[in-house]
Amino acid sequence: MRYCINCCIHLLPNDLHRQCFRCCGPHHHNHKCPVCRGENKIPLYTDSKQMKLLAVLEVRTDHRESWNGFFCLRKGKLCSLIFGLIIMTLVMASYILTGAKHGLLLIPSPFHYGAFATNPNLMDNESLSDMKDHYQPSKMNISYVKDYPSIKLIIDTIASKIEFTPRQRPDLEELRKQEPHMFSVIPTKFLPNSKNPCWYAEYRGNTSTDPYATNSYSLYSKRFRIIFDYLRKVFWNHLYHYKGKHYRLRCLPHFYIIGQPKCGTTDLYDRLRLHPDVRFSAIKEPHWWTRKRFGIIRLRDGFHDRYPVEDYLDLFDLAAHQIQGVLQSEAVKEHGKMNNIIIGEASASTMWDNNAWIFFYDNSTEGEPPFLIQDFIHAFQPNAKLIIMLRDPVERLYSDYLYFASANKSAEDFHEKVAESLQLFENCMLDYSLRACVYNNTLNNAMPVRLQVGLYVVYLLDWLTVFDKDQILVLRLEDHASNMRYTMHMVFQFLDLGPLSEKQEALITKSPASNTRRPEDRSLGPMLPTTKAILRDFYRPFNTKLAQVLFDDAFLWKRT
């Protein structure tokens, strides 16, 4: 195939290319050229076959005008391209900055438009100051109201499947088989002259040995290295020497603040540690019972090396040193007085997070965990005291969403995540028991918001299978916020703490609230009224059962 050097068009076998003006040369005749004669349809040939191309070719003798038209065409296309890119950039910027609030979604959410068959004929944070926010109407409210009847059907299905069945408690030998090392480290009896559970354990290292060299909390977190650096310096001074051997005082917590997240546990922790007889672990939330002992730092990061129980006990060494000082004082030695210092631990995951069981314990036929956190705590500390702080589960969920969501937070986005989570929970309830779904690791990771954390009564009933009711103090954040002095007195009495001076009490009760909602989250306002109605319906049967168990209708949360 030959090509024209001037216009790069194929030279055809029948030499029709002579009609191209650019190739004619000085012998061109206007009366022979079909273009010059005004013909506007020129058959084009490719490999001797005629193509019926309806085109108008206008040929001019002025080469400069031809090239000017060509450049104008290119400029027009370029301008159109730039204009299109600007429009697309503005749309994307609006989408990101507004959180898709005003209908700029490029891809519609399946849970708002497609997941539920709507029927047009049917119709945060731990500070209570969140509840004073006022809802600002949104342009999308009408469409979200239409979601309610369809989602209500899902909630009704879930409610029809709810059964609070008793749990079979495992025996001690089964627990020993699961965690033999833990049982080899923690004794069954503690020092009789200490209110806090403590014991002496032999230390086989020497003065050059670093007792915290392998501590996982120190290795994986820079924040705690300063604490362990201090403990290294004073470690040898706190050893007890007896008959040529060295012993270190080991302690477990006397009480646990076990839950729930976004319910005021941080504020309770900050106030309680101001009491002169209370000490806490070196870090507020070790999450050892629920996560670290399984090697979980963050669930999304998978599993790491398991934290041994010795690493957990190291977190109480600062408090143990102070308890040891009391035990070695003359008052205790000569007059038989007790050590009244107690240690607390405040991991808000302890009450509810049993997600790791399926990876480490034999699965049961019913999909329910054979062992729970409380089984092991009770095995070592049958007299432990537990404090639970709760709040309206509807408000707790929204506060949880605002705290943990990373981008595009909005009341509308929260609504869609609630709808998706409810549908996933319903799918589980159709095939499994309530307990199996609540402790289902796959389901809990799949739900965009943590609905299960607000099912307080499910967890409480399971804790009551191993601990007596008088060992558990259940508080409401709403009461704590309205009358802090009263709730703190309840805690002091529950832990059997000594009296305080007026100055000490004022310091504890009048301090500013801890861990309140961030200003950027507060500006988003409360959840949509439709979302609140949906969540009220979902949590109602669980709140009703909780109020029955605690004999207190305040846990119905009717007035919040």
Side-chain angles (χ1 to χ4, degrees):
M1 182 75 69
R2 294 175 300 157
Y3 293 86
C4 173
I5 194 171
N6 293 319
C7 56
C8 299
I9 298 178
H10 289 176
L11 291 177
L12 306 179
N14 55 7
D15 203 26
L16 282 175
H17 189 62
R18 288 177 299 175
Q19 295 179 359
C20 176
F21 175 79
R22 278 186 270 176
C23 302
C24 291
H27 303 292
H28 177 72
H29 298 286
N30 292 342
H31 64 278
K32 292 183 179 181
C33 177
V35 177
C36 299
R37 291 200 307 263
E39 296 180 9
N40 57 4
K41 293 183 181 180
I42 301 177
L44 299 182
Y45 290 81
T46 303
D47 296 334
S48 302
K49 295 182 180 179
Q50 181 174 340
M51 294 177 59
K52 294 182 179 180
L53 179 64
L54 299 178
V56 178
L57 301 178
E58 184 177 46
V59 183
R60 301 187 184 276
T61 58
D62 190 343
H63 294 264
R64 184 178 57 188
E65 292 180 2
S66 176
W67 284 104
N68 286 343
F70 175 74
F71 283 119
C72 289
L73 180 62
R74 291 190 61 184
K75 288 179 181 179
K77 289 183 177 179
L78 183 61
C79 292
S80 299
L81 177 61
I82 293 173
F83 182 77
L85 290 174
I86 292 173
I87 293 299
M88 186 171 65
T89 303
L90 291 174
V91 170
M92 292 299 296
S94 300
Y95 178 84
I96 294 171
L97 294 175
T98 63
K101 286 183 180 180
H102 305 295
L104 293 175
L105 284 170
L106 300 181
I107 301 176
S109 168
F111 286 95
H112 176 55
Y113 298 104
F116 306 103
T118 58
N119 185 344
N121 298 322
L122 298 174
M123 284 301 304
D124 305 315
N125 160 343
E126 304 177 347
S127 172
L128 267 271
S129 59
D130 302 347
M131 300 179 183
K132 298 178 183 179
D133 297 335
H134 296 285
Y135 172 67
Q136 299 297 328
S138 169
K139 295 179 181 179
M140 301 179 71
N141 287 352
I142 296 177
S143 60
Y144 283 110
V145 169
K146 291 181 180 179
D147 284 345
Y148 179 78
S150 298
I151 301 177
K152 185 65 167 64
L153 294 176
I154 292 176
I155 295 172
D156 291 342
T157 301
I158 294 172
S160 67
K161 298 289 183 179
I162 295 175
E163 291 185 27
F164 299 101
T165 57
R167 173 178 173 263
Q168 183 66 36
R169 176 177 168 180
D171 59 43
L172 187 60
E173 287 305 313
E174 290 178 303
L175 297 174
R176 288 182 183 274
K177 291 178 182 178
Q178 298 299 324
E179 299 288 351
H181 177 69
M182 199 189 309
F183 279 89
S184 69
V185 173
I186 302 176
T188 56
K189 294 183 179 180
F190 304 113
L191 295 177
N193 56 346
S194 176
K195 183 178 177 180
N196 196 86
C198 298
W199 69 99
Y200 281 104
E202 183 179 355
Y203 178 70
R204 293 183 170 84
N206 53 44
T207 54
S208 61
T209 304
D210 181 1
Y212 305 105
T214 59
N215 186 285
S216 300
Y217 285 98
S218 175
L219 294 175
Y220 287 110
S221 178
K222 295 180 180 179
R223 291 185 301 162
F224 311 132
R225 291 177 188 173
I226 297 176
I227 297 174
F228 286 108
D229 286 343
Y230 170 77
L231 288 172
R232 289 184 184 96
K233 295 177 182 178
V234 301
F235 179 80
W236 195 259
N237 297 332
H238 290 89
L239 290 179
Y240 178 67
H241 309 284
Y242 181 73
K243 292 184 178 181
K245 294 183 178 180
H246 310 299
Y247 297 87
R248 63 189 296 190
L249 188 67
R250 287 295 208 178
C251 298
L252 281 169
H254 173 71
F255 69 95
Y256 296 84
I257 301 176
I258 64 174
Q260 289 288 62
K262 310 313 298 174
C263 289
T265 56
T266 299
D267 188 76
L268 179 61
Y269 161 84
D270 285 338
R271 297 181 190 283
L272 197 50
R273 67 177 180 166
L274 296 175
H275 194 287
D277 291 339
V278 175
R279 304 293 184 273
F280 275 93
S281 53
I283 56 178
K284 174 185 176 283
E285 295 187 277
H287 295 297
W288 185 79
W289 290 102
T290 55
R291 299 169 187 171
K292 300 298 192 298
R293 71 185 179 101
F294 298 109
I296 299 174
I297 298 177
R298 297 180 185 87
L299 282 174
R300 64 177 180 270
D301 297 335
F303 291 94
H304 297 260
D305 294 335
R306 300 181 70 175
Y307 288 31
V309 65
E310 291 88 347
D311 291 2
Y312 180 60
L313 297 175
D314 287 347
L315 299 179
F316 306 105
D317 277 2
L318 280 173
H321 293 168
Q322 298 181 46
I323 292 175
Q324 185 178 8
V326 175
L327 294 175
Q328 293 179 348
S329 66
E330 296 298 327
V332 173
K333 288 182 178 180
E334 296 180 4
H335 304 288
K337 291 186 178 180
M338 288 279 293
N339 159 60
N340 289 319
I341 295 177
I342 59 174
I343 304 174
E345 200 252 72
S347 298
S349 64
T350 307
M351 180 178 181
W352 64 275
D353 191 351
N354 281 274
N355 286 327
W357 74 267
I358 197 169
F359 301 105
F360 294 92
Y361 304 136
D362 293 335
N363 199 353
S364 63
T365 55
E366 301 298 326
E368 297 184 6
F371 309 102
L372 295 176
I373 302 303
Q374 52 265 41
D375 299 329
F376 293 97
I377 295 178
H378 183 269
F380 300 114
Q381 299 176 259
N383 298 319
K385 294 198 172 184
L386 311 167
I387 301 176
I388 302 172
M389 182 81 87
L390 305 177
R391 74 187 288 188
D392 181 355
V394 176
E395 297 296 335
R396 192 220 70 82
L397 186 64
Y398 189 51
S399 180
D400 195 69
Y401 162 79
L402 293 177
Y403 186 81
F404 289 105
S406 57
N408 291 337
K409 290 185 285 189
S410 68
E412 291 82 8
D413 180 66
F414 176 66
H415 178 91
E416 295 191 1
K417 284 180 167 55
V418 167
E420 181 179 352
S421 299
L422 285 169
Q423 192 175 50
L424 291 170
F425 196 80
E426 179 204 27
N427 292 339
C428 182
M429 290 289 288
L430 292 174
D431 298 321
Y432 297 96
S433 68
L434 174 61
R435 183 178 291 107
C437 291
V438 167
Y439 295 123
N440 187 303
N441 174 70
T442 303
L443 172 64
N444 292 340
N445 289 333
M447 288 194 295
V449 290
R450 301 193 294 183
L451 283 174
Q452 79 281 8
V453 178
L455 306 181
Y456 307 139
V457 69
V458 179
Y459 305 111
L460 180 60
L461 289 173
D462 284 348
W463 280 85
L464 287 172
T465 61
V466 291
F467 286 97
D468 293 335
K469 200 170 184 178
D470 59 1
Q471 292 178 258
I472 303 176
L473 175 64
V474 183
L475 304 170
R476 295 195 328 145
L477 174 60
E478 292 83 355
D479 299 329
H480 180 66
S482 62
N483 193 342
M484 196 170 298
R485 187 173 181 272
Y486 175 74
T487 57
M488 293 309 299
H489 273 274
M490 288 181 64
V491 174
F492 297 155
Q493 183 178 0
F494 175 71
L495 297 176
D496 195 23
L497 294 173
L500 295 172
S501 66
E502 291 185 7
K503 185 177 180 180
Q504 289 173 326
E505 184 174 311
L507 178 65
I508 292 174
T509 58
K510 294 183 179 180
S511 300
S514 300
N515 201 18
T516 56
R517 183 176 293 181
R518 294 169 295 205
E520 60 269 26
D521 293 338
R522 190 181 299 277
S523 64
L524 295 175
M527 71 188 82
L528 299 174
T530 303
T531 315
K532 180 175 285 190
I534 289 169
L535 290 173
R536 287 254 179 268
D537 291 340
F538 171 69
Y539 284 118
R540 184 174 293 110
F542 300 99
N543 293 343
T544 300
K545 182 66 175 179
L546 179 65
Q548 293 172 357
V549 172
L550 297 176
F551 299 102
D552 190 347
D553 286 345
F555 289 93
L556 294 173
W557 282 286
K558 287 184 176 180
R559 296 182 179 180
T560 58

